[in-house]
């Protein structure tokens, strides 16, 4: 087994590369375990008789490849080798055997079926040529953009000097936004628990990713400020409205503080509002506070219908050409039929009717979940798609997931969303949509019973320090 730390005499030039290989070997052979804290750069430099710059460069390379993760104010930690592949939801085959409360979906009922059948009949009677043979992105007139402008207004965004790119949902918009905001090797910072695809996506794009401390008000300005001063940050990726696993809504004051930091350090802001206008009257989006530096995206998938893979990326006008080119090479264009359906629903009011229906349905489910989980540590957001249940440590998280699975209910683990060390946030995310109300209620009762049984277990049984 490789020893750790390495003998200074075994390090060869270039020293940073030799140190990278030594740390990789220690991780692979178990001398360094997942979740273990590495020495500070200054201490390791002293122990190995290296410069701090050499150790910093080695740590930077390991962060780029995702083998370690830096947490502002807390240190640097070893990641599990497989963690970038861990998705929060169960497979489609497994989901048929379970009440699947692991993946976020809106509530779907007969109104959605009737609306889709109606619009498909109308499209069939007056089939636009672009749906049949469209091969290039269409440029829309001001009149054609009016319905989208109204929808973005519901999201709190006033379209001014910005460029709008229609995308195949939020994932496409997110990819284009990252490609526009940063170059390979650049550092992106984000909440230390956030979007489950961000970690692998940034790695595939050659970007470095680092988590920044969050609390109930969102990303902590002090931690963001420190990262900007010490790390050379290019952009900050934020989920401010309920969609974060912890279900917080970033406060208006916190948003203003983040914008101030972004302006002083010349950061771009990537704002994920994938839920669209699902939340009731949240604070203004960061894109409204700092339109000159915010890449904002939203979609119709989570707030209206999962199969409606249509999203919108809004970028400052000076980044419009760059974003359009990156969308072209990664997606070419949006799917014509889906875009046509979205355009019609936005224009004739169907989208707002389905949105209001969704708000009511999710509000009812959120109320039920809150009543069921009373006395347990949990949180949700107004009309949110999920509820978060805290666990005392990773072992309790694993035990809770296993207990609900034995009763036929799948939930999502905190480990799938961790950008920083997993132990900072342990718990489960429970989706409120995707099931009929009776199945949802049954699933909540299963989860509640399992959570209470584990909560009654003494701390010593969890291996925690009293």
């Amino acid at each position: 087994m490789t020893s750790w730390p390495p003998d200074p005499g075994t390090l060869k030039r270039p020293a940073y590369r030799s140190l990278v290989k030594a740390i990789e070997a220690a991780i692979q052979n178990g001398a360094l375990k997942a979740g273990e804290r590495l020495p500070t750069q200054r201490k390791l430099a002293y122990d190995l008789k290296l410069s701090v710059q050499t150790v910093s460069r080695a740590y930077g390379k390991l962060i780029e490849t995702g083998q370690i993760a830096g947490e502002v104010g807390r240190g640097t930690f070893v990641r599990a080798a497989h963690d970038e592949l861990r998705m929060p939801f169960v497979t489609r085959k497994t989901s048929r055997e379970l009440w699947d409360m692991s993946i976020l979906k809106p509530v779907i009922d007969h109104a959605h079926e009737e609306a889709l059948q109606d619009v498909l009949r109308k499209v069939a009677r007056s089939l636009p040529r672009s749906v049949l043979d469209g091969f290039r992105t269409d440029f829309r007139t001001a009149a054609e953009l009016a319905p989208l402008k109204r929808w973005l207004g519901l999201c709190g965004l006033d379209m001014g000097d910005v460029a709008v790119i229609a995308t195949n949902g939020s994932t496409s918009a997110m990819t284009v936004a990252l490609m526009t905001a940063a170059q390979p090797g650049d550092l992106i910072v984000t909440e230390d628990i956030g979007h489950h695809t961000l970690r692998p996506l940034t790695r595939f794009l050659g970007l470095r990713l680092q988590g920044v401390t969050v609390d109930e008000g969102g990303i902590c300005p002090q931690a963001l400020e420190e990262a900007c001063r010490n790390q050379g940050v290019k952009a900050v990726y934020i989920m401010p409205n309920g969609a974060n696993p912890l279900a917080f809504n970033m406060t208006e004051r916190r948003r203003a503080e983040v914008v101030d930091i972004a302006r002083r350090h010349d950061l771009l802001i990537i704002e994920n509002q994938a839920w669209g206008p699902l939340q009731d009257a949240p604070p203004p989006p960061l894109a409204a506070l700092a339109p000159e530096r915010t890449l904002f995206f939203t979609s119709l998938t989570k707030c209206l219908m999962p199969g409606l893979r249509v999203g919108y990326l809004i970028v400052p006008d000076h980044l419009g050409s760059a974003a359009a080119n990156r969308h072209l090479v990664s997606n070419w264009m949006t799917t014509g039929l889906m875009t046509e359906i979205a355009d019609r629903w936005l224009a004739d009011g169907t989208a707002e009717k389905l949105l209001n229906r969704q708000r009511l349905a999710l509000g009812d489910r959120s109320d039920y979940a809150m009543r069921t989980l009373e006395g347990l540590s949990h949180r949700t957001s107004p009309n949110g798609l999920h509820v978060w249940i805290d666990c005392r440590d990773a072992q309790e998280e694993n035990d809770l997931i296993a207990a609900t699975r034995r009763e036929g209910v799948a939930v999502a683990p905190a480990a799938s969303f961790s950008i920083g060390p997993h132990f900072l946030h342990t718990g489960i995310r429970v989706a409120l949509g995707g099931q009929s109300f009776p199945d949802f209620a049954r699933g909540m009762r299963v989860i509640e019973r399992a959570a209470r049984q584990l909560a009654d277990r003494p701390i010593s049984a969890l291996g925690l320090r009293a």
Side-chain angles (χ1 to χ4, degrees):
M1 180 176 289
T2 301
S3 63
W4 178 258
D7 184 338
T10 64
L11 299 176
K12 300 180 173 127
R13 293 183 178 277
Y16 85 89
R17 191 174 297 166
S18 187
L19 180 56
V20 166
K21 289 180 180 178
I23 295 175
E24 286 177 335
I27 293 172
Q28 291 166 6
N29 290 298
L32 282 172
K33 302 186 184 307
E36 188 170 342
R37 188 195 303 264
L38 290 170
T40 65
Q41 295 177 18
R42 189 172 297 280
K43 183 178 187 310
L44 190 58
Y46 177 82
D47 291 343
L48 299 180
K49 300 178 174 57
L50 298 172
S51 70
V52 174
Q53 291 81 2
T54 296
V55 176
S56 177
R57 189 173 181 187
Y59 276 20
K61 291 293 181 184
L62 290 161
I63 289 172
E64 282 182 37
T65 58
Q67 295 176 84
I68 65 175
E71 172 64 22
V72 175
R74 287 189 169 90
T76 307
F77 300 82
V78 178
R79 282 199 180 282
H82 62 278
D83 68 351
E84 77 277 7
L85 300 176
R86 189 172 183 181
M87 292 293 112
F89 44 81
V90 296
T91 64
R92 185 174 182 180
K93 179 180 179 181
T94 305
S95 69
R96 288 196 289 265
E97 304 163 359
L98 299 166
W99 272 269
D100 185 5
M101 302 177 77
S102 68
I103 189 167
L104 300 187
K105 291 182 179 180
V107 178
I108 299 298
D109 60 20
H110 65 89
H112 296 80
E113 295 178 12
E114 292 170 2
L116 186 57
Q117 290 168 352
D118 179 63
V119 73
L120 288 173
R121 283 192 292 265
K122 291 176 179 176
V123 170
R125 286 196 295 267
S126 57
L127 186 67
R129 190 73 182 180
S130 60
V131 172
L132 187 63
D133 66 359
F135 200 55
R136 295 182 183 277
T137 303
D138 290 331
F139 292 94
R140 305 184 188 190
T141 65
E144 291 169 330
L145 280 173
L148 176 57
K149 185 175 182 178
R150 286 198 303 273
W151 184 260
L152 293 175
L154 295 176
C155 298
L157 196 62
D158 180 21
M159 288 173 60
D161 293 330
V162 296
V164 181
I165 299 171
T167 65
N168 290 311
S170 285
T171 302
S172 169
M174 174 180 172
T175 303
V176 174
L178 286 165
M179 293 171 67
T180 304
Q183 299 292 322
D186 284 340
L187 176 62
I188 308 293
V189 295
T190 187
E191 296 105 335
D192 61 10
I193 181 165
H195 200 283
H196 63 276
T197 63
L198 183 59
R199 195 170 61 229
L201 178 56
T202 51
R203 179 179 300 184
F204 299 151
L205 293 175
L207 304 173
R208 295 180 293 139
L209 182 68
Q210 182 170 305
V212 174
T213 306
V214 299
D215 59 23
E216 65 278 0
I219 198 167
C220 294
Q222 298 89 342
L224 178 59
E225 178 79 45
E226 184 177 346
C228 292
R229 272 201 235 103
N230 300 331
Q231 304 280 343
V233 179
K234 184 66 175 180
V236 56
Y237 179 103
I238 295 182
M239 301 170 68
N241 285 4
N244 185 282
L246 298 182
F248 61 71
N249 271 310
M250 182 183 274
T251 64
E252 190 165 357
R253 177 178 177 180
R254 190 69 60 87
R255 294 172 195 233
E257 290 174 319
V258 168
V259 165
D260 177 62
I261 292 170
R263 284 181 170 143
R264 284 191 286 105
H265 292 278
D266 196 23
L267 301 187
L268 290 174
I269 300 169
I270 301 174
E271 183 174 9
N272 177 343
Q273 195 165 316
W275 290 7
L278 200 55
Q279 307 271 260
D280 288 327
L286 286 93
L289 302 177
E292 81 285 356
R293 64 183 57 252
T294 304
L295 295 86
F296 171 101
F297 64 88
T298 187
S299 83
L300 306 181
T301 304
K302 297 295 188 184
C303 59
L304 297 187
M305 184 182 295
L308 191 58
R309 300 295 302 172
V310 177
Y312 304 98
L313 173 62
I314 294 87
V315 303
D317 194 54
H318 69 276
L319 293 176
S321 178
N325 286 332
R326 283 151 180 77
H327 183 256
L328 184 69
V329 299
S330 59
N331 294 271
W332 189 262
M333 60 176 288
T334 53
T335 304
L337 181 57
M338 290 293 101
T339 306
E340 180 66 21
I341 292 171
D343 287 347
R344 290 182 182 231
W345 279 3
L346 291 175
D348 68 12
T350 300
E352 289 189 45
K353 290 177 182 176
L354 293 177
L355 172 68
N356 291 331
R357 191 179 186 90
Q358 194 63 223
R359 286 172 168 171
L360 290 172
L362 288 171
D364 288 345
R365 294 186 182 214
S366 179
D367 289 345
Y368 183 91
M370 297 291 276
R371 292 195 304 272
T372 303
L373 299 172
E374 186 175 0
L376 293 169
S377 179
H378 68 284
R379 66 188 72 88
T380 188
S381 57
N383 308 334
L385 285 162
H386 71 275
V387 60
W388 174 267
I389 302 175
D390 288 304
C391 293
R392 288 176 286 182
D393 73 347
Q395 185 59 56
E396 184 173 273
E397 177 184 311
N398 291 334
D399 290 347
L400 181 53
I401 291 167
T404 59
R405 182 71 68 93
R406 285 194 295 271
E407 297 295 322
V409 179
V411 296
S416 297
F417 308 103
S418 295
I419 307 295
H422 177 203
F423 70 81
L424 296 174
H425 305 282
T426 53
I428 61 170
R429 188 192 72 179
V430 181
L432 302 183
Q435 306 288 331
S436 67
F437 193 92
D439 287 346
F440 154 75
R442 176 193 178 277
M444 284 305 310
R445 292 193 296 272
V446 167
I447 295 165
E448 178 261 340
R449 285 197 301 271
R452 291 193 192 281
Q453 288 171 1
L454 288 171
D456 291 338
R457 198 163 63 177
I459 290 178
S460 59
L462 297 170
L464 295 174
R465 292 190 298 272

